[in-house]
CSV table of all heavy atoms in Angstrom, one decimal:
chain,number,residue,atom,x,y,z
A,1755,LYS,N,85.0,104.7,92.8
A,1755,LYS,CA,86.4,104.3,92.9
A,1755,LYS,C,87.2,105.4,92.1
A,1755,LYS,O,86.9,105.9,91.1
A,1755,LYS,CB,86.6,103.0,92.0
A,1755,LYS,CG,86.0,101.7,92.8
A,1755,LYS,CD,86.3,100.5,92.1
A,1755,LYS,CE,85.5,100.4,90.9
A,1755,LYS,NZ,85.6,99.1,90.1
A,1756,ASP,N,88.3,105.7,92.8
A,1756,ASP,CA,89.3,106.6,92.2
A,1756,ASP,C,90.3,105.8,91.4
A,1756,ASP,O,90.2,104.8,91.2
A,1756,ASP,CB,89.9,107.5,93.2
A,1756,ASP,CG,90.7,106.7,94.3
A,1756,ASP,OD1,91.0,105.5,94.0
A,1756,ASP,OD2,91.0,107.4,95.3
A,1757,SER,N,91.3,106.5,90.9
A,1757,SER,CA,92.4,105.9,90.0
A,1757,SER,C,93.2,104.9,90.8
A,1757,SER,O,93.6,103.9,90.2
A,1757,SER,CB,93.2,107.0,89.5
A,1757,SER,OG,93.8,107.6,90.4
A,1758,GLY,N,93.2,105.0,92.2
A,1758,GLY,CA,94.1,104.1,92.9
A,1758,GLY,C,93.3,102.9,93.3
A,1758,GLY,O,93.8,102.0,94.0
A,1759,GLY,N,91.9,102.9,93.1
A,1759,GLY,CA,91.2,101.8,93.6
A,1759,GLY,C,90.7,101.9,94.9
A,1759,GLY,O,89.9,101.0,95.4
A,1760,THR,N,90.8,103.1,95.5
A,1760,THR,CA,90.2,103.2,97.0
A,1760,THR,C,88.8,103.9,96.8
A,1760,THR,O,88.5,104.6,95.6
A,1760,THR,CB,91.1,104.2,97.7
A,1760,THR,OG1,91.3,105.4,97.0
A,1760,THR,CG2,92.5,103.5,98.0
A,1761,LEU,N,88.0,103.6,97.7
A,1761,LEU,CA,86.7,104.1,97.7
A,1761,LEU,C,86.5,105.5,98.2
A,1761,LEU,O,87.1,105.9,99.0
A,1761,LEU,CB,85.7,103.2,98.5
A,1761,LEU,CG,85.5,101.8,98.1
A,1761,LEU,CD1,84.7,101.1,98.9
A,1761,LEU,CD2,84.7,101.8,96.7
A,1762,LYS,N,85.8,106.2,97.3
A,1762,LYS,CA,85.4,107.6,97.8
A,1762,LYS,C,84.0,107.6,98.3
A,1762,LYS,O,83.1,107.0,97.6
A,1762,LYS,CB,85.5,108.5,96.5
A,1762,LYS,CG,87.0,108.8,96.1
A,1762,LYS,CD,87.0,109.7,95.0
A,1762,LYS,CE,88.3,110.2,94.6
A,1762,LYS,NZ,88.2,111.0,93.4
A,1763,SER,N,83.7,108.3,99.2
A,1763,SER,CA,82.3,108.5,99.7
A,1763,SER,C,81.6,109.2,98.8
A,1763,SER,O,82.0,110.3,98.2
A,1763,SER,CB,82.2,109.1,101.2
A,1763,SER,OG,82.8,110.3,101.2
A,1764,GLU,N,80.2,108.9,98.4
A,1764,GLU,CA,79.5,109.7,97.3
A,1764,GLU,C,78.0,109.8,97.9
A,1764,GLU,O,77.4,108.8,98.3
A,1764,GLU,CB,79.7,108.9,96.1
A,1764,GLU,CG,78.9,109.6,95.0
A,1764,GLU,CD,79.0,108.8,93.7
A,1764,GLU,OE1,79.4,107.7,93.7
A,1764,GLU,OE2,78.6,109.4,92.7
A,1765,LYS,N,77.5,110.9,97.8
A,1765,LYS,CA,76.2,111.0,98.1
A,1765,LYS,C,75.4,110.7,97.0
A,1765,LYS,O,75.7,111.1,95.8
A,1765,LYS,CB,75.9,112.5,98.6
A,1765,LYS,CG,76.5,112.8,99.9
A,1765,LYS,CD,76.3,114.3,100.2
A,1765,LYS,CE,77.0,114.6,101.6
A,1765,LYS,NZ,76.6,115.9,102.1
A,1766,LYS,N,74.2,110.0,97.1
A,1766,LYS,CA,73.4,109.7,95.9
A,1766,LYS,C,72.7,111.1,95.5
A,1766,LYS,O,72.0,111.8,96.3
A,1766,LYS,CB,72.4,108.8,96.3
A,1766,LYS,CG,72.9,107.3,96.6
A,1766,LYS,CD,71.9,106.3,97.0
A,1766,LYS,CE,72.5,105.0,97.1
A,1766,LYS,NZ,71.5,104.0,97.5
Side-chain angles (χ1 to χ4, degrees):
K1755 293 180 283 185
D1756 60 14
S1757 58
T1760 55
L1761 288 174
K1762 291 180 177 179
S1763 59
E1764 179 184 12
K1765 295 181 179 179
K1766 292 184 178 180

